[in-house]
Amino acid sequence: MAHASDQSSLLSDHALTDTGRGERALVFLHGFGADQSVWRLVAPRFADRHRVIAYDHMGCGRSNAHGRDAARYGDLGGYAADLAAILDALDLRDVLVVAHSVAGMMALLAARRTDRIGGIAMVGTSPCYIDQGGYVGGFSRADVEELLSMMELDFQGWARNVADVAIADPGRPELAQELVYSFSRANPELLRRFARATFLCDYRRDLAACTTPVLALQASADALVPAEAAAYLADHIPGARLHTLKARGHYPQLSAPDEVFQEVQTFLEAA
């Protein structure tokens, strides 16, 4: 009974939602600072034929971080462990993980912990955000440190700036505002750790060990993840396929949900 109680707590603490029907499950993961609602225009479309699961990373959205060890989330390993634990708790097999941004790396790391993941669709994912040698991550180390400092000094200003840059659609200010609201709901301490775990990460050496089928979806213009980083990701994961979307911005699941749905659906059918 204690084990069942622990599993129930795990799922409720992550505000997990479980809808749809079908033998195969899709698990939707949000990226830094957001919450599961970023998939609200895509995930429900799969519910007529598949089980659809989404949850909030610890410290984000409606998650309950009370009693959690914040140090666990100093890098992406803690988030990957959460994903593996949730798949175990639900006893899911051959899961397709649809992961936005840095959550793509969480899914890749989790696939090394568990055999329950049958495929990963990564949307706007980078293995490393900092330029190093000939690698183009999009930011210098100084850029990242400035971003993190601004987050500490003027969180609201930082959130508005990041949201505007990430959405990259001045004609739809409601999308940027939605992202700012997501940031404001997060646990401040864990969000700062999440920021460092995201923008200082370097998982390039982990790519070659991935044996899970991967689809990398990249917007045609993304201020946070340059095309070079997406190409590096796909080139260094064995068998991965890169598809460039017509959509622009870092959140194509919000700005162009039809296109994202179609590409994920095609990957799901092929898998």
Side-chain angles (χ1 to χ4, degrees):
M1 292 298 292
H3 182 59
S5 177
D6 290 343
Q7 290 179 340
S8 177
S9 177
L10 172 70
L11 304 183
S12 63
D13 283 352
H14 283 275
L16 184 138
T17 58
D18 188 348
T19 59
R21 59 181 182 273
E23 292 186 4
R24 191 169 194 189
L26 283 75
V27 175
F28 289 84
L29 302 182
H30 67 83
F32 164 73
D35 58 49
Q36 60 187 279
S37 68
V38 298
W39 288 110
R40 61 185 170 76
L41 302 179
V42 175
R45 302 189 189 193
F46 292 94
D48 60 337
R49 297 176 56 192
H50 301 282
R51 191 173 174 184
V52 174
I53 294 161
Y55 65 87
D56 295 336
H57 296 306
M58 195 52 55
C60 297
R62 295 181 293 110
S63 66
N64 175 22
H66 180 71
R68 293 280 175 147
D69 179 10
R72 171 184 172 88
Y73 302 100
D75 59 32
L76 299 185
Y79 300 95
D82 285 349
L83 173 57
I86 286 170
L87 299 182
D88 284 344
L90 296 174
D91 193 23
L92 299 177
R93 298 284 180 181
D94 195 29
V95 172
L96 175 63
V97 179
V98 186
H100 178 236
S101 193
V102 71
M105 287 296 96
M106 297 176 194
L108 183 142
L109 296 176
R112 297 177 63 178
R113 293 171 173 262
T114 177
D115 61 359
R116 296 179 181 273
I117 298 175
I120 307 171
M122 302 180 181
V123 182
T125 295
S126 173
C128 177
Y129 293 84
I130 297 176
D131 299 336
Q132 299 183 44
Y135 173 79
V136 179
F139 298 88
S140 68
R141 177 78 185 208
D143 291 334
V144 170
E145 292 294 350
E146 182 179 357
L147 181 150
L148 296 173
S149 294
M150 183 179 176
M151 185 180 179
E152 293 274 358
L153 296 173
D154 179 11
F155 179 79
Q156 288 300 321
W158 171 88
R160 288 192 298 270
N161 182 63
V162 169
D164 288 340
V165 169
I167 295 296
D169 190 348
R172 302 178 68 187
E174 71 278 6
L175 296 182
Q177 186 57 43
E178 179 180 336
L179 191 56
V180 171
Y181 177 64
S182 293
F183 288 146
S184 68
R185 296 174 67 193
N187 176 285
E189 180 182 1
L190 285 178
L191 188 65
R192 287 193 292 270
R193 287 182 178 272
F194 200 171
R196 299 192 71 84
T198 297
F199 294 107
L200 295 176
C201 79
D202 186 354
Y203 290 98
R204 290 176 293 169
R205 293 183 179 180
D206 295 271
L207 302 180
C210 179
T211 59
T212 305
V214 169
L215 168 67
L217 296 178
Q218 176 67 14
S220 58
D222 184 340
L224 298 185
V225 179
E228 294 89 341
Y232 185 99
L233 176 81
D235 287 344
H236 288 78
I237 296 176
R241 181 171 71 87
L242 173 64
H243 176 80
T244 301
L245 301 166
K246 295 178 182 178
R248 299 171 61 85
H250 191 60
Y251 286 81
Q253 71 270 49
L254 291 176
S255 60
D258 293 346
E259 188 178 12
V260 173
F261 166 74
Q262 187 56 60
E263 294 303 326
V264 174
Q265 176 70 16
T266 299
F267 179 57
L268 177 62
E269 292 172 351

